[in-house]
Every structure is written in structure tokens, then in C-alpha cells.
Amino acid sequence: MALKVIGAGFGRTGTWSTFAALNRLGFPCYHMQEVILNKANKGHLNFWRKVANSKPGTPHDWDRAFANYTATVDNPGCCVWRELLAAYPDAKVLLTLHPRGAEGWYDSTIDTIYFTENLWQFKILEWLTPFGRKFGDMSRKLIWGRVLAGVMDDRERAIARYNAYTEEVKAAVSPEKLLVFTVTEGWGPLCRFLGVAEPREPFPNLNDRESVKKVIRDVIKGSYMMLGLSIAGGVAVLAGLWWWLG
């Protein structure tokens, strides 16, 4: 399969609901959850870490990640939308925007997926686990560094970056190949853009903020567990040395 829909919108712009909608419309869709939760995609995190540590524009074997998909939204795919469009020139570009604008996007992002940067418990996982190191490195370099230019800790600069990025996408993609979309618009614009019939059911409205919050809670629990095991292991080593020296 080849990509037919390339999502250029940042994470936290309704991408999980759009992910569900595209799947419903018959476009198997890629999303960050396909990287970290889909067991069939073992090795994808290593692939995206390699992308993150390459120069922008570097060619990669994109079919390795998207072999079973015809659409992608959310991170990490949105971070390389230009490269993907070069590799799949017949694809259309979907720019999802937050219904409450740049301010709403920023507040949602800081409250959820930015936990890899602002949550000390995740730093423990980075220190103690291979997954934490890989995911932290990938997200820091590709998402927060390359695409968002390292500005997330400054609200005004981050909002300006969101708005500038939106204009960059609009300027780079011809109007007939681009849909600027918010999930509050429902099926109509998306289905017309893709040339498919509208389903006779409500547009997906997934409570992804609560789902991300649950992931964050699990990360915190895991970090405490790993820290406890490390401390216990350290105490055991010190006790053994004390016994041996004594």
C-alpha cells in the first residue's frame, strides 16, 4: 500500500478522532499509538529514532513504517510531512487544526503529551529503561526540537510557531491537494476531500485527553516501581559489600 493521506497537523489537534474517522472510511491510519502500542510494529520506535537523528529531508525507507497503512496523522508522521509528500506525490495533505485555535492547542499539549519533557518521572524511565531512552530521544529531537523549534516552554513563542507552521503548510501545498480541517466540522469536508460517502453515524469524538492522562499515570507508577527496584538493588549491593569487607 502507498500513503494516500498525509496528516500535517500537530498532535493534540483532534488527531485521535481523525485517526478513527480515517479508519472508518477505509483508510488504515498511522498514529503515535501505532508506534508505542501496536505489538505488530515492533521496531518502529527504532526507525523513528533514526529519523530523528538524521538531517531534515534525509530519504528513508518510509514503506517500512507505512507498509500496512494508507493514511497517517499525528506524530511522528506529521513531523516529516514534506518528506512523505516527496515519497508519495499522489497523496493528499490533511492539516488538522485545534478547534479552539493555537491557544487551545498549546494548553492541551502542555497538559498531556509534553510529559516527556516536563515530567520528572519520565526522566527516571529514560535513565532506567531502553524504551524511555529511545522514546525520549526521538520525541525530543523530532517533535519538540525539529518541528516545534524548542519553543514549548515559552507559551507566546509556541503559539507563534503553531500559527507560522500552519501558514507554511498552506503555502507549500496546492489548494486542490490540501484540506484544512477541524474535527468539529464533521464528516462532510473530509469525505468530500477524499471522494467517499459519508457514514450514517456521528463523527468520532474520542476523549483522547483522558486516555493520555491514563498513560501519564501509568508512566508515573512505572517510574516509581523502577526507582524502588533500583534503590532496593543498590541497598543489596551495599549490604553485600559491607558483609564482604566486614
Side-chain angles (χ1 to χ4, degrees), residues 32 52 75 106 109-126 131-146 148-154 212 216 219:
M32 181 63 87
N75 299 310
Y106 180 80
T109 300
I110 288 294
D111 193 41
T112 55
I113 59 175
Y114 198 58
F115 77 92
T116 58
E117 297 300 299
N118 64 10
L119 197 66
W120 66 265
Q121 289 92 339
F122 184 79
K123 302 305 178 183
I124 292 176
L125 288 185
E126 281 197 85
F131 169 81
R133 286 190 292 275
K134 292 176 183 179
F135 190 74
D137 183 59
M138 183 274 288
S139 60
R140 184 172 303 112
K141 292 176 180 176
L142 185 60
I143 302 170
W144 313 121
R146 182 185 303 184
L148 281 156
V151 298
M152 285 303 294
D153 291 328
D154 185 321
V212 174
I216 295 172
V219 166

Side-chain angles (χ1 to χ4, degrees), residues 164-175:
Y165 176 87
T166 298
E167 295 307 314
E168 288 171 12
V169 177
K170 290 179 181 179
V173 183
S174 57

Side-chain angles (χ1 to χ4, degrees), residues 172-208:
V173 183
S174 57
E176 68 275 9
K177 294 188 66 172
L178 174 67
L179 176 65
V180 181
F181 178 71
T182 61
V183 292
T184 52
E185 297 177 90
W187 290 113
L190 183 61
C191 291
R192 289 192 295 272
F193 181 62
L194 299 176
V196 297
E198 292 186 37
R200 295 184 177 180
E201 61 192 63
F203 192 87
N205 182 19
L206 302 182
N207 185 13
D208 56 343

Side-chain angles (χ1 to χ4, degrees), residues 32-124:
M32 181 63 87
Q33 73 170 27
E34 296 296 296
V35 179
I36 60 177
L37 297 179
N38 190 338
K39 294 182 180 180
N41 289 341
K42 184 179 180 181
H44 280 218
L45 181 54
N46 290 332
F47 172 83
W48 287 108
R49 190 184 187 191
K50 180 180 178 182
V51 172
N53 283 280
S54 303
K55 292 182 179 179
T58 300
H60 293 277
D61 182 9
W62 302 114
D63 286 342
R64 179 180 172 188
F66 300 112
N68 297 317
Y69 303 88
T70 59
T72 179
V73 296
D74 198 72
N75 299 310
C78 69
C79 300
V80 291
W81 70 268
R82 291 179 185 272
E83 290 91 334
L84 293 180
L85 189 56
Y88 304 101
D90 294 328
K92 295 183 176 182
V93 176
L94 178 62
L95 177 60
T96 50
L97 299 179
H98 197 284
R100 292 188 288 110
E103 294 83 359
W105 162 79
Y106 180 80
D107 294 339
S108 178
T109 300
I110 288 294
D111 193 41
T112 55
I113 59 175
Y114 198 58
F115 77 92
T116 58
E117 297 300 299
N118 64 10
L119 197 66
W120 66 265
Q121 289 92 339
F122 184 79
K123 302 305 178 183
I124 292 176

